[in-house]
Amino acid sequence: KEHPTIIGFQEVLYNQLNDFQNALTSYHHVGVGRDDGKTTGEFAPIFYDTTRYQLLQSGTFWLSPTPEVPSKGWDAALNRICTYALLESKYDRKKLWVLNTHFDHMGTDARLHSAELLVEKFAELTQEVAAPLLLLGDFNAEPDSYVYQLLSRHFSDLSCSIRHRELCSGPTFNAFTLSESDDKIIDYFFGSPELIATQYKVVQTSFDRSYPSDHFPLVLSFIGL
């Protein structure tokens, strides 16, 4: 229904990745499994509409002191990754770095160091190709956390629309239930100053009184200056 031109998924297993690719016929994807750098473990893939974008560069790094190899970082419970892609618009040839990630749910230090690593990695990427950033994912960190504060010092929180500020406070986590007891905000879109959010929403549609995920889908429309 939304037909986004860019999609970031988290916690995707290889069979699910194949299902997505078979269903999303006009899209291609990038990303690898977090356990072996191939097909084992969860993916954080980026899907992009090939009618709108062409892929210039992509890769995956691990949220750890050894980001180039499959690894678990700091006090994290699990291997965690970030997938990135450099996309170029087929309409105006503007380029965009897209980073999709999933921070650890247990390790406090791991989340903070992961945020620091993302800032460092984006600085490296922009030395190769200067382009704005769209950073999205499950950060397992609420707005009053050090993780959020660090990321928001370096990037804009695009999860708050300039035109619709009342949409900024919707919970993104639902624990598969319709109860409000588990609701919290832990998923975000961040971006470079060149990106301006024009609309943001949390899609809270339920199916037979249940949700297809323990997180709500987030939808962002933005323009580049």
Side-chain angles (χ1 to χ4, degrees):
K1 181 180 178 181
E2 300 293 340
H3 195 79
T5 56
I6 301 169
I7 311 172
F9 293 111
Q10 297 85 39
E11 296 190 30
V12 178
L13 299 178
Y14 186 58
N15 63 307
Q16 296 171 320
L17 184 73
N18 291 330
D19 288 342
F20 281 138
Q21 186 60 82
N22 290 334
L24 300 169
T25 54
S26 68
Y27 295 74
H28 286 170
H29 73 272
V30 297
V32 298
R34 70 187 185 187
D35 290 345
D36 66 352
K38 298 176 182 177
T39 61
T40 304
E42 294 178 0
F43 290 66
I46 297 169
F47 279 69
Y48 61 96
D49 186 343
T50 57
T51 68
R52 295 288 302 274
Y53 292 101
Q54 64 176 343
L55 178 69
L56 301 182
Q57 184 179 333
S58 67
T60 297
F61 59 93
W62 277 258
L63 303 180
S64 81
T66 54
E68 303 306 320
V69 297
S71 49
K72 183 169 62 175
W74 306 286
D75 60 347
L78 301 164
N79 288 3
R80 298 294 184 178
I81 55 176
C82 178
T83 297
Y84 64 89
L86 177 61
L87 302 177
E88 183 179 75
S89 169
K90 291 185 175 181
Y91 295 106
D92 57 16
R93 300 302 177 189
K94 289 184 178 180
K95 298 178 177 63
L96 177 69
W97 286 106
V98 182
L99 275 65
N100 179 35
T101 192
H102 184 186
F103 283 10
D104 197 67
H105 65 303
M106 295 295 291
T108 303
D109 289 342
R111 288 193 294 272
L112 185 57
H113 290 310
S114 294
E116 294 170 342
L117 181 60
L118 288 185
V119 173
E120 294 171 5
K121 185 64 176 180
F122 178 60
E124 294 175 8
L125 292 173
T126 52
Q127 287 182 347
E128 299 177 25
V129 179
L133 167 72
L134 177 65
L135 168 62
L136 62 150
D138 172 5
F139 295 86
N140 275 309
E142 297 189 71
D144 60 352
S145 66
Y146 288 120
V147 170
Y148 177 87
Q149 293 169 19
L150 188 153
L151 290 172
S152 60
R153 283 201 304 270
H154 291 273
F155 311 116
S156 301
D157 180 0
L158 301 178
S159 305
C160 287
S161 167
I162 290 177
R163 297 182 184 176
H164 302 283
R165 302 298 295 183
E166 73 277 7
L167 299 179
C168 297
S169 60
T172 68
F173 179 75
N174 59 60
F176 287 111
T177 73
L178 295 174
S179 168
E180 295 182 358
S181 59
D182 294 312
D183 288 355
K184 52 189 175 182
I185 302 172
I186 57 176
D187 307 87
Y188 307 94
F189 292 102
F190 292 100
S192 302
E194 301 96 320
L195 302 186
I196 302 297
T198 57
Q199 185 177 19
Y200 167 78
K201 61 181 176 180
V202 180
V203 182
Q204 298 184 352
T205 306
S206 62
F207 300 87
D208 296 327
R209 294 192 59 78
S210 64
Y211 296 118
S213 170
D214 59 344
H215 293 246
F216 294 119
L218 312 184
V219 181
L220 172 73
S221 298
F222 64 91
I223 59 174
L225 298 180

